[in-house]
């Protein structure tokens, strides 16, 4: 996979940049290894931890390699998932502090882009007490029609 992330990812490869839990440096790559678990099933939001937390935590590992700068403030990163967990690459990049640039669910910025237009995400919410019958409310939020993460 290729991802376009916020910031200069190359700086993270420097051993003097500090250590993060669950992260090791290997020959020009970073390996994130730990556990992913769902923290909000309604919206499908996941989080990372270096240690297993809760019964639903699943092991996940991804290696990352700096490719180059896309802009002055964004990098292109090659991603090598070793496991196939839901949102794994997105969660691991957020843990590293380099979220996918336009992934508003995981630390990126919601932006208008003619190649990835914003579209409404509609979910239905039922706010009914027992015995009531009414149409459920609809709540719409905007999100990009795609994120800067592409399979090779």
């Amino acid at each position: 996979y290729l991802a376009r992330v916020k910031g200069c990812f190359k700086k993270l490869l420097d051993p003097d940049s500090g250590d993060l839990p669950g992260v090791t440096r290997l020959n020009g790559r970073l390996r994130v290894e730990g556990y992913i678990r769902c923290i909000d099933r309604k919206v499908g939001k996941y989080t990372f931890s270096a240690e297993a937390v809760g019964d639903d935590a699943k092991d996940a590992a991804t290696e990352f390699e700096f490719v180059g700068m896309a802009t002055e403030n964004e990098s292109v990163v090659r991603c090598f998932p070793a496991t196939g967990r839901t949102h794994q690459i997105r969660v691991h990049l957020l843990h590293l502090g380099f979220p996918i640039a336009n992934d508003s669910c995981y630390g990126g910025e919601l932006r208008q882009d003619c190649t990835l237009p914003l579209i409404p995400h509609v979910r239905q919410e039922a706010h009914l007490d027992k015995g009531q019958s009414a149409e459920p409310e609809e709540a719409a939020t905007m999100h990009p029609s795609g994120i800067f993460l592409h399979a090779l």
Side-chain angles (χ1 to χ4, degrees):
Y1 292 85
L2 278 182
R4 183 170 168 174
V5 301
K6 290 172 59 174
C8 181
F9 192 85
K10 188 175 186 177
K11 292 178 182 177
L12 195 57
L13 297 172
D14 182 352
D16 295 334
S17 67
D19 293 328
L20 287 168
V23 179
T24 53
R25 291 176 179 85
L26 314 156
N27 303 322
R29 284 189 183 179
L30 288 177
R31 182 175 177 86
V32 179
E33 194 164 18
Y35 297 87
I36 289 181
R37 68 183 184 89
C38 185
I39 56 172
D40 188 340
R41 295 202 186 288
K42 193 174 214 175
V43 296
K45 179 93 175 181
Y46 291 77
T47 190
F48 172 84
S49 62
E51 304 294 324
V53 178
D55 295 336
D56 61 343
K58 296 181 179 180
D59 64 314
T62 310
E63 289 187 12
F64 298 97
E65 179 179 273
F66 175 74
V67 174
M69 297 300 293
T71 68
E72 186 177 312
N73 300 315
E74 295 178 356
S75 303
V76 176
V77 177
R78 191 172 291 128
C79 314
F80 302 90
T83 53
R85 306 296 181 206
T86 302
H87 297 198
Q88 172 178 320
I89 294 171
R90 299 165 74 186
V91 171
H92 284 169
L93 285 167
L94 177 61
H95 175 66
L96 290 171
F98 290 85
I100 295 171
N102 70 335
D103 186 359
S104 58
C105 291
Y106 290 98
E109 298 168 355
L110 195 60
R111 59 171 85 169
Q112 190 63 260
D113 183 329
C114 62
T115 62
L116 296 169
L118 296 178
I119 57 173
H121 179 296
V122 178
R123 65 177 197 275
Q124 291 186 342
E125 298 181 29
H127 299 287
L128 303 176
D129 294 329
K130 276 188 175 177
Q132 283 185 312
S133 64
E135 293 296 315
E137 286 183 34
E138 285 189 352
T141 57
M142 298 303 281
H143 69 95
S145 55
I147 57 173
F148 296 143
L149 177 65
H150 304 283
L152 295 176

